[in-house]
Amino acid sequence: AVAEVCPGLQNIGVVRGFAENCLATCPELCAPMDGIVGRYFQTSSIESVKPLICANASSFDCLFNHTEVCGIMQETAGTFGIQIPASGPQLRSECKALRDSN
């Protein structure tokens, strides 16, 4: 049997449904994505999840380095209006702007 990807997390199933290969490649994304999905479900607010993405910017580096399996995560997030930047530097730039605006 294949080990479950991101075991024991409540909200990650929705992500695992379309991006299991990405999560298997980048397990450091499990907890951040679980938190991001949970926050989004609670608030339906894209603004509310941006700080969570920024707080976990280093975890997203794996996603940027494995776009062949993780591109689907960016695309699908985009359908919810959650724009995951295309690269680590772009993410850090957006997060700096977010911090500076608060």
Side-chain angles (χ1 to χ4, degrees), residues 30-99:
C30 289
M33 287 305 296
D34 187 65
I36 289 164
V37 171
R39 172 81 56 90
Y40 186 73
F41 281 162
Q42 287 171 338
T43 63
S44 300
S45 161
I46 291 142
E47 292 306 313
S48 76
V49 301
K50 283 183 180 170
L52 291 177
I53 295 174
C54 291
N56 294 284
S58 60
S59 298
F60 282 91
D61 286 338
C62 183
L63 180 151
F64 302 131
N65 293 333
H66 295 93
T67 52
E68 71 287 351
V69 290
C70 291
I72 186 73
M73 187 181 288
Q74 289 170 292
E75 289 168 32
T76 306
T79 65
F80 289 97
I82 300 170
Q83 295 302 320
I84 298 176
S87 68
Q90 186 185 342
L91 176 61
R92 285 171 177 78
S93 165
E94 289 187 20
C95 290
K96 183 181 183 312
L98 184 69
R99 281 195 305 274

